[in-house]
Amino acid sequence: MRLFGFQIPPVFSLLFWIALWEIAGQYELAFILPPFSDVVSELFILIQRADFQDAAMLTFRAFVIGMAISIVLGIFIGFAMGSSRMANSVLGMWVNIFASAPLSSLVPILMLLFGLGQTTIIVTVVLFSTWIIALDTYAGVNHISPSMSEMGRSFGATRRQLLTKVLFWAALPEILAGVRMGLIRAVKGIVIGQLLVSVVALGRLFRTFSDNFQFEQFWALTIILFIFALTFSSAIGWLENKVEYYANTRG
Amino acid sequence: MSDVATAAPLNPASATPENIVEVRNISKFYGSVHALDKINLSFPKGQMTTLLGPSGCGKTTLLKIIAGLLEPSDGEVLINGKVVNGPGPERAFVFQDFALLPWATVLRNVAFGMELAKVPKAEREDKARHYINEVGLSGFEDKYPHELSGGMRQRVGLARAMVVKADVLLMDEPFSAVDEQNRRKFQEDLLHLLAAENKTVIFVTHSIEEAVYVSDQIVLLSPRPGQIHSIIRPEISRDTSPDDIRRDKKYLDAVENIWTDLRKYLD
Ligand SMILES: Nc1ncnc2c1ncn2[C@@H]1O[C@H](COP(=O)(O)OP(=O)(O)OP(=O)(O)O)[C@@H](O)[C@H]1O
Ligand SMILES: [Mg+2]
């Protein structure tokens, strides 16, 4: 749909659903659904509360640490699978299983193993995102034309130089795609995990809100998480676009 | 500019020049595929040798073995009289598909060999600029490969190989992705550039005309398993203009003879 010459369908449909939500809320059609305007005003109150800020910081820090670990681990596994047939046959099956398994059910077990602290969040993120990063990295490495590494070798690259100056960059478009998918999975893992566990950090807030029928706060928190995930994934999407021009021109 | 190509002959009338590259008894099997069979060849210093033969006869395989990118199943490669087992700074490769870094500018691509050798940035970019100019790409230093035509990309590949000062240039069908008109111009520029640098070139091509036009020595390979069928020295004087060379009787005879030899493999 075009308005004043601008293409605006995503915003428009979003506005539509928000309007619907507001109406449903005003008429009290479902008690778990308070009016959107109340949720928004609650959101602004919430982000100023000290307990929210503490919980958010804790979750955020654990999330970033977890992502850092899975990016390093995923790229490492992907390169190992891509450059050694043996590593591929040993790791490939497991990576594929973990990448497609329903991992949410494991989160309570993680909680038993790692307690209720940050460690559980970190392990959850790693568990949810590493495998897809590994698979995409592997696809990227496989996609590199053999003449790329021959070029590096013929100009005297050491193994390390070949990896850091040629192969890593050549696989970067796929690696970034993997990181973005991994990130989305990690957010899902955290949200599901925290809802299941609901004792750690933001999860505890979630539980408090829903137990006390504080649905304004509950939805406000959900929206914050969504905005957080969207911001992260579009930041990576932006990076992906920047490297895309060469993804298409690789020889 | 046709005077570009009235280059000095690559084979000065000196007595038998020393052989900078020697291939001794090279055989290559890919699993059960017998690609090369007991190849013995000498490559005189400062001369251009072309490997010519039907598709799949092992030209690329031989070139990569000389480059040290492939292990021969048997035999050895000598550079300046010494056996080599891998790539080395005396040899530089020009790739059929260019193999440029798409994320790097022309300048960085050309300087890449020196970047790997940890030459200081200012120094390597200086040298790279010189060769970018030599191959006719000045003004394109900050462009990326995808902004260039096929012919220009291969000029980048050529500059990258020239700038590392290797004595031996190995080129695998460097012009195959370049259109016919640019290809002729490129051939002329290449001869001109090489004459000034005293390089030894080993050149793979499918084109008989190209082989005769650029070579001092043409090695004809027979189909799999690749063996040396014959070695031809066109002995064409390159003092005249490119057009005159292409009308020269020796040029036309050489093309005709090679064609007669190769056509029997087509049946
Ligand atoms: N990695 C490989 N594994 C198995 N067989 C191979 C491999 N590389 C080449 N061959 C086979 O070895 C033979 C020689 O290949 P090569 O690429 O050297 O031929 P070529 O003369 O360069 O051919 P073209 O003119 O088509 O480029 C061919 O029959 C090819 O199928
Ligand atoms: Mg070939």
Side-chain angles (χ1 to χ4, degrees), chain B residues 106-107 110 125-141 155-156 159 163 189 192-193:
Chain B
V106 166
L107 185 61
V110 172
E125 291 194 342
D126 247 27
K127 290 184 173 163
R129 276 178 214 283
H130 171 75
Y131 277 97
I132 290 171
N133 186 39
E134 288 286 297
V135 300
L137 283 182
S138 48
F140 291 91
E141 289 84 352
R155 284 169 188 264
V156 177
V163 76
D189 290 356
H192 179 66
L193 199 58

Side-chain angles (χ1 to χ4, degrees), chain A residues 149-205:
Chain A
S149 45
E150 287 175 350
M151 187 279 289
R153 284 169 55 211
S154 75
F155 285 100
T158 60
R159 270 182 80 91
R160 189 196 168 89
Q161 283 179 320
L162 197 61
L163 271 174
T164 58
K165 284 187 179 284
V166 181
L167 301 181
F168 173 78
W169 298 98
L172 189 60
E174 283 87 356
I175 292 176
L176 280 179
V179 169
R180 192 165 51 84
M181 304 252 287
L183 190 108
I184 291 167
R185 289 187 175 198
V187 171
K188 273 204 307 208
I190 287 288
V191 172
I192 295 168
Q194 298 229 350
L195 286 178
L196 282 177
V197 178
S198 11
V199 245
V200 192
L202 282 182
R204 193 191 323 240
L205 273 181

Side-chain angles (χ1 to χ4, degrees), chain B residues 30-31 33-36 53-62 70 96 172-173 204-206 221 224:
Chain B
Y30 291 106
V33 177
H34 194 177
L36 291 173
S55 198
C57 71
K59 305 181 291 293
T60 299
T61 303
L62 181 56
L70 266 182
Q96 182 172 11
D172 189 6
E173 301 196 40
V204 168
T205 180
H206 265 123
L221 295 170
R224 230 172 62 203

Side-chain angles (χ1 to χ4, degrees), chain A:
Chain A
M1 149 147 197
R2 285 182 163 271
L3 205 59
F4 308 120
F6 291 101
Q7 191 88 34
I8 51 155
V11 180
F12 184 79
S13 76
L14 192 64
L15 286 177
F16 173 78
W17 288 111
I18 287 174
L20 208 64
W21 179 348
E22 180 70 24
I23 293 165
Q26 293 291 353
Y27 285 92
E28 296 178 22
L29 292 181
F31 81 106
I32 65 155
L33 210 62
F36 184 74
S37 49
D38 292 0
V39 172
V40 171
S41 59
E42 195 52 52
L43 192 151
F44 283 103
I45 296 167
L46 186 62
I47 57 177
Q48 291 168 43
R49 274 168 52 174
D51 61 342
F52 167 79
Q53 287 175 359
D54 289 349
M57 258 334 277
L58 193 73
T59 305
F60 181 73
R61 198 157 29 155
F63 187 84
V64 170
I65 295 171
M67 274 316 289
I69 294 173
S70 27
I71 289 172
V72 173
L73 199 62
I75 291 177
F76 180 82
I77 294 174
F79 265 98
M81 282 165 61
S83 39
S84 141
R85 197 163 297 198
M86 203 181 74
N88 189 20
S89 61
V90 173
L91 293 168
M93 188 182 75
W94 292 107
V95 171
N96 271 297
I97 288 177
F98 275 115
S100 51
L103 295 168
S104 313
S105 49
L106 288 180
V107 175
I109 300 171
L110 293 182
M111 202 195 69
L112 282 178
L113 286 174
F114 298 102
L116 307 179
Q118 284 202 44
T119 317
T120 305
I121 306 182
I122 295 172
V123 175
T124 309
V125 171
V126 172
L127 189 67
F128 273 75
S129 64
T130 304
W131 320 110
I132 187 73
I133 297 176
L135 281 183
D136 276 24
T137 303
Y138 171 62
V141 174
N142 261 355
H143 192 275
I144 301 172
S145 144
S147 70
M148 265 318 207
S149 45
E150 287 175 350
M151 187 279 289
R153 284 169 55 211
S154 75
F155 285 100
T158 60
R159 270 182 80 91
R160 189 196 168 89
Q161 283 179 320
L162 197 61
L163 271 174
T164 58
K165 284 187 179 284
V166 181
L167 301 181
F168 173 78
W169 298 98
L172 189 60
E174 283 87 356
I175 292 176
L176 280 179
V179 169
R180 192 165 51 84
M181 304 252 287
L183 190 108
I184 291 167
R185 289 187 175 198
V187 171
K188 273 204 307 208
I190 287 288
V191 172
I192 295 168
Q194 298 229 350
L195 286 178
L196 282 177
V197 178
S198 11
V199 245
V200 192
L202 282 182
R204 193 191 323 240
L205 273 181
F206 259 120
R207 172 56 62 87
T208 319
F209 293 154
S210 58
D211 282 354
N212 301 326
F213 303 104
Q214 293 169 303
F215 289 112
E216 286 89 353
Q217 284 92 334
F218 178 86
W219 287 113
L221 196 54
T222 311
I223 288 175
I224 290 172
L225 273 175
F226 265 107
I227 292 174
F228 167 80
L230 273 178
T231 313
F232 249 107
S233 105
S234 41
I236 295 173
W238 176 80
L239 264 183
E240 271 182 80
N241 270 332
K242 280 199 70 165
V243 299
E244 190 182 21
Y245 72 85
Y246 77 68
N248 305 326
T249 55
R250 285 184 295 200

